[in-house]
Amino acid sequence: MTATPTTEQATTADGPDTAPAVAQAEQHAADAEQTLAAMEERVRDGDEDVTPAQLAEARELGRFARLRAEAARRKAERATAKAAEQERARLTAKAVALVDQEADPATVATAYEQARTALAALVAAVTAHDNALHQAAHLLRQADAPPIIRYVPVQRGEHTFQEAEHAPASRTAPTVEHGNSAALSLSTGRARNTIGTGPTLATLLDETAHQHGVAMPAGETAFTAAPIGEHAHRHADRVRRFLDTATAQTPETTK
């Protein structure tokens, strides 16, 4: 792919740099003015070798040199204006290309729906997992399954202590946490417990925010520093309008 030239490169490609030409023309004009001033001073000093024709010629040369200097400046200004216009056109075209290629609202709307579907599946999986554990723990308590943790006497010197340990557990003789907990064990030392849809979603969003640089509008509280409900209350209407508009657009209207 050919790189787009910068303003400096574009100016050089269009023609030679006009700055030296302007400086040279201005120097010629200054030299002509100095020559005329010197001749006039010679006349004031009584030098009879300076003729009126020479003075007239020097004045005309000075005027011509000033005109050439003005012409060089105007040419430089036109070149600068042309280069600036070309740069504006280049930046405008680049901005439009970015919008066309990478700012497609329909793409965002599609990804949003895919993410919502995936999150719904995650919530459903966690809910099914937790419900199953709650029901299983209830059944095991009805079956008088022993608790996950038991206390055994341990002799240390002259004293006996009750020390907690995992009770033996297997798939045919599980253990269960008594009370309202859904914790249970099908293998000694390995407890199964609920995870919760809220903690799961919160952890997922926090990981996403840190790994992918989730940003809030300038001046607002960071995504992970305020309740999700607060962010949603502030932005849900705008996001919904964006998604509704993006979903309603056809390929022709997105061009």
Side-chain angles (χ1 to χ4, degrees):
M1 179 181 294
T2 303
T4 303
T6 62
T7 302
E8 181 179 355
Q9 292 171 332
T11 302
T12 304
D14 292 340
D17 190 354
T18 55
V22 173
Q24 186 179 28
E26 290 178 343
Q27 184 60 51
H28 287 167
D31 292 342
E33 290 175 355
Q34 290 178 1
T35 298
L36 175 61
M39 292 180 67
E40 290 176 341
E41 190 62 28
R42 287 171 58 192
V43 173
R44 295 187 186 96
D45 287 341
D47 188 343
E48 297 180 356
D49 290 336
V50 180
T51 66
Q54 290 174 328
L55 282 176
E57 181 181 4
R59 289 192 185 95
E60 288 301 316
L61 288 174
R63 175 176 171 75
F64 182 74
R66 285 193 295 275
L67 291 174
R68 291 295 299 271
E70 179 63 23
R73 283 192 292 272
R74 291 185 181 183
K75 181 178 180 181
E77 290 170 358
R78 289 193 296 270
T80 299
K82 180 180 179 181
E85 182 59 33
Q86 290 175 336
E87 179 66 1
R88 282 192 292 271
R90 184 186 72 83
L91 293 174
T92 299
K94 184 176 181 179
V96 172
L98 279 173
V99 172
D100 287 342
Q101 297 168 10
E102 300 184 31
D104 182 9
T107 301
V108 176
T110 298
Y112 184 94
E113 289 303 318
Q114 292 173 342
R116 183 160 64 177
T117 299
L119 286 177
L122 175 61
V123 170
V126 172
T127 300
H129 172 273
D130 289 359
N131 287 343
L133 285 180
H134 276 292
Q135 294 175 25
H138 177 70
L139 292 172
L140 290 176
R141 283 190 286 269
Q142 286 184 322
D144 293 326
I148 295 177
I149 299 298
R150 69 179 182 180
Y151 294 88
V152 296
V154 176
Q155 187 71 32
R156 292 193 178 94
E158 298 180 355
H159 302 282
T160 301
F161 299 90
Q162 295 294 318
E163 190 169 279
E165 69 175 12
H166 288 280
S170 68
R171 301 182 67 83
T172 56
T175 56
V176 65
E177 186 72 32
H178 288 261
N180 296 324
S181 172
L184 55 87
S185 178
L186 305 181
S187 175
T188 305
R190 298 183 63 181
R192 302 279 293 273
N193 209 333
T194 57
I195 181 173
T197 53
T200 302
L201 289 180
T203 301
L204 175 61
L205 291 177
D206 184 69
E207 288 178 352
T208 302
H210 285 90
Q211 292 175 3
H212 300 282
V214 174
M216 296 301 297
E220 290 197 13
T221 306
F223 180 74
T224 56
I228 296 297
E230 178 181 322
H231 291 312
H233 176 74
R234 185 172 300 175
H235 300 288
D237 289 343
R238 182 173 64 87
V239 172
R240 176 48 56 195
R241 286 195 301 271
F242 174 91
L243 294 171
D244 289 344
T245 301
T247 303
Q249 287 179 333
T250 62
E252 288 73 24
T253 59
T254 56
K255 293 182 179 179

